[in-house]
Amino acid sequence: MYPEQAPHVPAQRAVEVHQPTPLPPAVPVAAPVVPVQPGTVPAVASIVLPDGRVVTGYAINPAQPEPVAAKPAVSRTAVNVALGGAGFLAVCGGLVLLTSFIAALTAFITQLIILAAVVFGGWIAVQIFSTRGHQGGTTVNIRKAVIKRNHFHS
């Protein structure tokens, strides 16, 4: 297959070994403390105790409780009842519309049937009362006593 029939030896590759470099441990650095003046200077209060000692210090405002979540102005039950009533009215309105649609459809079909009866009845009346002579068949005219089929003439 190969032009040379020499045995093929796999090539050797140079292998590089990488050693991980250890990282120094992270040392938290404390931010320098900077004194900050309060926005407003609190008032200094002095209290005279019953035994005559005077205690001077800043007044501490009592902790304000967190505001309670405002209750809704309308109870959930009232909202549910109102939504149920609105749904009921919507269903009733839909039924009224459906009923009126069925009534209108019934009236339309009735009018179509009456129209068909009038047209068909008119066509039959034209066929019966037409003045055209009949081409074939028996003709009987009793007033003139003409019987065409048997050829009797008066």
Side-chain angles (χ1 to χ4, degrees):
M1 293 187 150
Y2 295 106
E4 304 173 3
Q5 294 298 332
H8 189 275
V9 178
Q12 293 180 353
R13 296 183 189 170
V15 178
E16 293 181 25
V17 177
H18 296 283
Q19 295 294 330
T21 305
L23 296 174
V27 178
V29 178
V33 177
V34 179
V36 178
Q37 292 291 331
T40 61
V41 178
V44 177
S46 296
I47 300 174
V48 179
L49 298 176
D51 61 356
R53 293 182 294 166
V54 176
V55 178
T56 304
Y58 294 107
I60 299 174
N61 294 331
Q64 298 291 332
E66 292 185 20
V68 180
K71 293 179 108 179
V74 180
S75 70
R76 291 190 184 274
T77 304
V79 171
N80 290 339
V81 168
L83 289 176
F88 179 74
L89 289 177
V91 169
C92 289
L95 289 175
V96 166
L97 288 176
L98 180 65
T99 305
S100 62
F101 174 75
I102 290 173
L105 186 63
T106 304
F108 178 69
I109 290 172
T110 304
Q111 289 176 356
L112 285 179
I113 291 171
I114 292 172
L115 179 66
V118 167
V119 169
F120 186 67
W123 181 77
I124 290 176
V126 166
Q127 296 300 318
I128 291 175
F129 296 117
S130 68
T131 57
R132 296 184 290 169
H134 298 283
Q135 268 61 22
T138 305
T139 301
V140 177
N141 192 342
I142 297 175
R143 288 188 186 162
K144 294 182 181 179
V146 176
I147 299 175
K148 185 178 182 182
R149 183 171 188 177
N150 295 331
H151 303 287
F152 293 117
H153 301 283
S154 59

